[in-house]
Short mmCIF file of all heavy atoms in Angstrom, two decimals:
data_model
loop_
_atom_site.label_atom_id
_atom_site.label_comp_id
_atom_site.label_asym_id
_atom_site.label_seq_id
_atom_site.Cartn_x
_atom_site.Cartn_y
_atom_site.Cartn_z
N VAL A 1 11.60 -17.23 -13.85
CA VAL A 1 11.66 -17.20 -15.31
C VAL A 1 13.08 -16.90 -15.75
O VAL A 1 13.84 -16.24 -15.03
CB VAL A 1 10.70 -16.12 -15.88
CG1 VAL A 1 10.79 -16.04 -17.40
CG2 VAL A 1 9.26 -16.42 -15.47
N GLY A 2 13.45 -17.38 -16.92
CA GLY A 2 14.69 -17.00 -17.57
C GLY A 2 14.42 -16.65 -19.02
O GLY A 2 13.47 -17.19 -19.63
N TYR A 3 15.22 -15.75 -19.59
CA TYR A 3 15.06 -15.35 -20.99
C TYR A 3 16.40 -15.55 -21.69
O TYR A 3 17.45 -15.22 -21.15
CB TYR A 3 14.65 -13.88 -21.09
CG TYR A 3 13.34 -13.56 -20.40
CD1 TYR A 3 13.31 -13.26 -19.04
CD2 TYR A 3 12.14 -13.56 -21.11
CE1 TYR A 3 12.11 -12.97 -18.40
CE2 TYR A 3 10.94 -13.26 -20.47
CZ TYR A 3 10.93 -12.97 -19.12
OH TYR A 3 9.75 -12.69 -18.48
N VAL A 4 16.34 -16.09 -22.90
CA VAL A 4 17.55 -16.35 -23.69
C VAL A 4 17.34 -15.75 -25.08
O VAL A 4 16.33 -16.02 -25.74
CB VAL A 4 17.85 -17.85 -23.80
CG1 VAL A 4 19.14 -18.07 -24.61
CG2 VAL A 4 17.97 -18.50 -22.43
N TRP A 5 18.34 -14.97 -25.51
CA TRP A 5 18.28 -14.35 -26.84
C TRP A 5 19.50 -14.82 -27.63
O TRP A 5 20.64 -14.46 -27.32
CB TRP A 5 18.27 -12.83 -26.72
CG TRP A 5 17.11 -12.34 -25.90
CD1 TRP A 5 17.10 -12.13 -24.55
CD2 TRP A 5 15.80 -12.04 -26.37
NE1 TRP A 5 15.85 -11.71 -24.15
CE2 TRP A 5 15.03 -11.64 -25.24
CE3 TRP A 5 15.20 -12.05 -27.63
CZ2 TRP A 5 13.70 -11.28 -25.34
CZ3 TRP A 5 13.86 -11.67 -27.73
CH2 TRP A 5 13.13 -11.29 -26.60
N SER A 6 19.25 -15.67 -28.64
CA SER A 6 20.34 -16.21 -29.46
C SER A 6 19.76 -16.80 -30.74
O SER A 6 18.67 -17.40 -30.71
CB SER A 6 21.10 -17.31 -28.69
OG SER A 6 22.05 -17.95 -29.52
N GLU A 7 20.49 -16.63 -31.85
CA GLU A 7 20.10 -17.27 -33.11
C GLU A 7 20.72 -18.65 -33.25
O GLU A 7 20.41 -19.36 -34.20
CB GLU A 7 20.51 -16.38 -34.29
CG GLU A 7 19.76 -15.06 -34.38
CD GLU A 7 18.27 -15.25 -34.61
OE1 GLU A 7 17.88 -15.65 -35.72
OE2 GLU A 7 17.49 -15.02 -33.65
N ASP A 8 21.58 -19.04 -32.31
CA ASP A 8 22.20 -20.36 -32.30
C ASP A 8 21.29 -21.28 -31.47
O ASP A 8 21.30 -21.22 -30.24
CB ASP A 8 23.60 -20.27 -31.69
CG ASP A 8 24.35 -21.60 -31.70
OD1 ASP A 8 23.69 -22.66 -31.75
OD2 ASP A 8 25.58 -21.58 -31.61
N LEU A 9 20.51 -22.12 -32.14
CA LEU A 9 19.53 -22.94 -31.44
C LEU A 9 20.17 -23.87 -30.43
O LEU A 9 19.64 -24.06 -29.32
CB LEU A 9 18.70 -23.74 -32.45
CG LEU A 9 17.59 -24.60 -31.85
CD1 LEU A 9 16.60 -23.75 -31.07
CD2 LEU A 9 16.88 -25.40 -32.94
N LYS A 10 21.32 -24.45 -30.78
CA LYS A 10 21.98 -25.37 -29.85
C LYS A 10 22.40 -24.62 -28.58
O LYS A 10 22.22 -25.12 -27.46
CB LYS A 10 23.19 -26.01 -30.51
CG LYS A 10 22.83 -27.00 -31.61
CD LYS A 10 24.08 -27.64 -32.20
CE LYS A 10 23.71 -28.64 -33.30
NZ LYS A 10 24.94 -29.26 -33.91
N ARG A 11 22.97 -23.46 -28.74
CA ARG A 11 23.39 -22.67 -27.57
C ARG A 11 22.16 -22.27 -26.75
O ARG A 11 22.18 -22.34 -25.52
CB ARG A 11 24.16 -21.43 -28.02
CG ARG A 11 24.35 -20.41 -26.89
CD ARG A 11 25.09 -19.17 -27.37
NE ARG A 11 26.53 -19.39 -27.29
CZ ARG A 11 27.43 -18.45 -27.54
NH1 ARG A 11 27.05 -17.24 -27.92
NH2 ARG A 11 28.71 -18.70 -27.43
N ALA A 12 21.11 -21.83 -27.43
CA ALA A 12 19.90 -21.42 -26.72
C ALA A 12 19.33 -22.57 -25.91
O ALA A 12 18.93 -22.39 -24.75
CB ALA A 12 18.86 -20.90 -27.71
N MET A 13 19.31 -23.77 -26.48
CA MET A 13 18.75 -24.92 -25.77
C MET A 13 19.67 -25.38 -24.64
O MET A 13 19.19 -25.81 -23.59
CB MET A 13 18.48 -26.06 -26.75
CG MET A 13 17.38 -25.76 -27.75
SD MET A 13 15.82 -25.25 -26.96
CE MET A 13 15.39 -26.75 -26.07
N ARG A 14 20.97 -25.28 -24.84
CA ARG A 14 21.90 -25.61 -23.75
C ARG A 14 21.66 -24.67 -22.56
O ARG A 14 21.62 -25.09 -21.40
CB ARG A 14 23.35 -25.47 -24.20
CG ARG A 14 23.92 -26.61 -24.99
CD ARG A 14 25.44 -26.56 -25.04
NE ARG A 14 26.00 -25.28 -25.42
CZ ARG A 14 26.27 -24.91 -26.68
NH1 ARG A 14 25.98 -25.75 -27.68
NH2 ARG A 14 26.79 -23.73 -26.93
N THR A 15 21.54 -23.40 -22.89
CA THR A 15 21.33 -22.42 -21.83
C THR A 15 19.99 -22.64 -21.13
O THR A 15 19.90 -22.63 -19.89
CB THR A 15 21.39 -21.00 -22.41
OG1 THR A 15 22.65 -20.81 -23.07
CG2 THR A 15 21.24 -19.95 -21.31
N ALA A 16 18.94 -22.86 -21.92
CA ALA A 16 17.61 -23.07 -21.34
C ALA A 16 17.61 -24.27 -20.40
O ALA A 16 17.02 -24.22 -19.31
CB ALA A 16 16.58 -23.26 -22.44
N SER A 17 18.26 -25.35 -20.79
CA SER A 17 18.26 -26.55 -19.95
C SER A 17 19.09 -26.37 -18.69
O SER A 17 18.91 -27.11 -17.71
CB SER A 17 18.78 -27.76 -20.74
OG SER A 17 20.15 -27.59 -21.08
N SER A 18 19.98 -25.39 -18.68
CA SER A 18 20.86 -25.17 -17.53
C SER A 18 20.31 -24.16 -16.54
O SER A 18 20.79 -24.08 -15.41
CB SER A 18 22.24 -24.69 -18.01
OG SER A 18 22.86 -25.67 -18.84
N LEU A 19 19.31 -23.37 -16.95
CA LEU A 19 18.76 -22.36 -16.06
C LEU A 19 17.83 -23.00 -15.04
O LEU A 19 16.96 -23.80 -15.40
CB LEU A 19 18.01 -21.29 -16.85
CG LEU A 19 18.86 -20.38 -17.74
CD1 LEU A 19 17.98 -19.43 -18.53
CD2 LEU A 19 19.88 -19.61 -16.90
N ARG A 20 17.99 -22.65 -13.78
CA ARG A 20 17.18 -23.20 -12.70
C ARG A 20 15.95 -22.33 -12.49
O ARG A 20 15.83 -21.60 -11.49
CB ARG A 20 18.01 -23.31 -11.42
CG ARG A 20 19.19 -24.26 -11.52
CD ARG A 20 18.73 -25.69 -11.39
NE ARG A 20 18.13 -25.92 -10.08
CZ ARG A 20 17.29 -26.92 -9.82
NH1 ARG A 20 16.92 -27.75 -10.78
NH2 ARG A 20 16.80 -27.08 -8.60
N THR A 21 15.04 -22.40 -13.45
CA THR A 21 13.82 -21.59 -13.40
C THR A 21 12.64 -22.44 -13.85
O THR A 21 12.79 -23.42 -14.59
CB THR A 21 13.92 -20.36 -14.32
OG1 THR A 21 14.09 -20.79 -15.68
CG2 THR A 21 15.10 -19.48 -13.92
N GLY A 22 11.45 -22.04 -13.42
CA GLY A 22 10.25 -22.78 -13.80
C GLY A 22 9.86 -22.61 -15.25
O GLY A 22 9.22 -23.48 -15.83
N THR A 23 10.23 -21.50 -15.85
CA THR A 23 9.93 -21.22 -17.26
C THR A 23 11.15 -20.57 -17.89
O THR A 23 11.82 -19.75 -17.26
CB THR A 23 8.72 -20.27 -17.39
OG1 THR A 23 7.57 -20.88 -16.80
CG2 THR A 23 8.42 -19.95 -18.85
N VAL A 24 11.44 -20.95 -19.14
CA VAL A 24 12.47 -20.28 -19.93
C VAL A 24 11.83 -19.84 -21.24
O VAL A 24 11.15 -20.62 -21.90
CB VAL A 24 13.68 -21.19 -20.21
CG1 VAL A 24 14.73 -20.43 -21.03
CG2 VAL A 24 14.30 -21.69 -18.91
N MET A 25 12.05 -18.59 -21.62
CA MET A 25 11.53 -18.07 -22.87
C MET A 25 12.70 -17.76 -23.79
O MET A 25 13.62 -17.03 -23.40
CB MET A 25 10.68 -16.83 -22.62
CG MET A 25 9.52 -17.10 -21.67
SD MET A 25 8.42 -15.69 -21.46
CE MET A 25 7.51 -16.21 -19.99
N VAL A 26 12.68 -18.33 -24.98
CA VAL A 26 13.78 -18.18 -25.94
C VAL A 26 13.31 -17.29 -27.08
O VAL A 26 12.33 -17.59 -27.77
CB VAL A 26 14.23 -19.56 -26.47
CG1 VAL A 26 15.34 -19.39 -27.51
CG2 VAL A 26 14.70 -20.45 -25.32
#
């Protein structure tokens, strides 16, 4: 799992797509 905390949706989605995990929670 990966967790991302950001109010910048573009940054959050960039980070989520780059994390090598089965699930990402934003």
Side-chain angles (χ1 to χ4, degrees):
V1 178
Y3 301 85
V4 181
W5 302 91
S6 173
E7 293 297 288
D8 183 337
L9 182 59
K10 290 182 180 179
R11 167 181 274 186
M13 293 306 295
R14 280 197 310 270
T15 303
S17 66
S18 298
L19 292 176
R20 296 282 297 159
T21 62
T23 300
V24 180
M25 302 185 195
V26 178

